[in-house]
Each structure stands twice: as structure tokens, then as C-alpha cells.
Amino acid sequence: KEDLSWLGIQWDEERLASDDMDNLYSLAEKLISEKHAFVCLCTQEDMKSLREKMKNCPCRKNAVKKNIDEWKLMLSGKQLEGSRTLRLKGDMKSNNGVMRDPVIARISFAEHFKQGKKYYVWPTYDFENPVEDSLNGVTHVIRSKEFELRAELHNYILKLLKMKMPIVR
């Protein structure tokens, strides 16, 4: 805030993504229902290995009903951290590794500074960021060079959800 003020930038409204968790959950479930996301039970090591080899995870082929049931288990708070993640069905053959079935939500029991222990599943930056920008009417975003590869993924997510894409600089 101090840096933005120093630059002379004023904002109309301050928002926290954690205030939109119900929307984020609903959109995640929409991706599952439309066969664009799946709940993965693989270990982080197995997931990494399969992504490096450009091979599909066995969980990717699960039926929508099973994925919805697993998603609800994630949301229940009765599953261990790391036992399940929600992954987007990307392109496992893509040269852009970011597109290889990225994790878009994970279980975390860490207490949130505002929400406390109300939520057990948290969206990743790659899901939350483009969705929040679109939900909040952001028209232009400035990203640093390290996010260049992520633009393809962010646009893909917004396209799947039929949401407006901002201009990225």
C-alpha cells in the first residue's frame, strides 16, 4: 500500500481473495462438473515425476461423480494435508510445463489471518489470481517476467470458465 501510494496510485476498493472463497469453490466445482478438473490422490513426488515425463496421472480418468465426491471430502476438513489436490486438466504434452495438469487447490489447515479455520481448501495462485481479476472487473494487469509462462494457463482457465480476460502487460 505504501509503495502504491508513493507512486501516486489510488485504488477504489481493497479486496481479499479469501472473501470470495464461496465463488472460488463454486467455479472449481464447475470445472470438475465440466470435466476440466479432477481430484488427484498422487503424492507430490509422483505428480512431479509424471509431469516431467509428460504422462497422465491415473486419477485424471476418474468419473465426474467420483471427483465431486472427492472434492466434497477435501472441503469437509477430514482429509490430511497433501492427501488430495484439485488439478486442472491441461495439456500433458505441452512444452510449457505450467500447462501440465497444474494443481489449482490444495488442503491446508494453517490458520488464515482473516478467515481463521473456516476453510480447509485453498486455491493456488494460478487459479485464484486470474479468476479474482475477472470477478472484480480488472481490465489491465502488469506482471513481471517470471509470470510470462503462466499467462497461457491463466487465459486457459478464464476461457474454460467463460470469464473476461484482462490485458496483460
Side-chain angles (χ1 to χ4, degrees):
K1 290 180 192 179
E2 187 177 305
D3 292 343
L4 292 173
S5 294
W6 180 81
L7 289 169
I9 297 172
Q10 297 180 10
W11 52 91
D12 298 325
E13 178 182 13
E14 184 175 321
R15 297 189 48 84
L16 297 174
S18 63
D19 291 334
D20 278 339
M21 291 297 284
D22 292 336
N23 283 333
L24 292 165
Y25 284 175
S26 176
L27 292 168
E29 194 164 323
K30 177 180 178 174
L31 289 172
I32 297 168
S33 296
E34 293 177 356
K35 301 181 182 180
H36 298 301
F38 63 98
V39 174
C40 181
L41 281 64
C42 294
T43 65
Q44 189 173 10
E45 295 79 22
D46 288 344
M47 196 183 313
K48 180 181 179 190
S49 174
L50 288 168
R51 290 181 81 208
E52 287 172 353
K53 294 174 185 171
M54 299 179 164
K55 298 204 179 284
N56 287 339
C57 159
C59 303
R60 194 181 209 265
K61 68 180 187 299
N62 289 339
V64 169
K65 182 181 180 340
K66 179 168 177 57
N67 283 315
I68 293 289
D69 290 345
E70 290 290 345
W71 172 246
K72 289 183 180 178
L73 278 173
M74 286 177 70
L75 296 176
S76 75
K78 296 176 182 165
Q79 301 304 309
L80 297 175
E81 286 186 34
S83 67
R84 288 159 173 73
T85 57
L86 181 64
R87 294 176 66 189
L88 184 72
K89 288 183 181 179
D91 178 0
M92 290 302 286
K93 301 297 181 191
S94 177
N95 288 327
N96 183 352
V98 172
M99 293 301 295
R100 296 184 201 146
D101 291 1
V103 172
I104 59 172
R106 60 176 44 102
I107 299 169
S108 174
F109 292 108
E111 189 165 341
H112 187 269
F113 78 96
K114 182 177 180 190
Q115 302 296 343
K117 295 188 179 261
K118 183 176 179 182
Y119 299 106
Y120 306 108
V121 176
W122 292 91
T124 61
Y125 170 88
D126 285 324
F127 182 64
E128 172 271 319
N129 195 265
V131 168
E132 279 294 303
D133 284 350
S134 187
L135 285 174
N136 292 300
V138 173
T139 58
H140 292 73
V141 279
I142 299 171
R143 301 261 196 267
S144 56
K145 186 77 173 153
E146 70 263 22
F147 293 105
E148 191 172 64
L149 292 174
R150 299 194 120 56
E152 181 181 1
L153 174 57
H154 292 189
N155 289 341
Y156 180 62
I157 290 169
L158 293 174
K159 181 179 174 190
L160 291 174
L161 292 170
K162 298 172 181 62
M163 298 178 84
K164 187 171 180 184
M165 287 186 231
I167 295 167
V168 180
R169 299 278 182 221

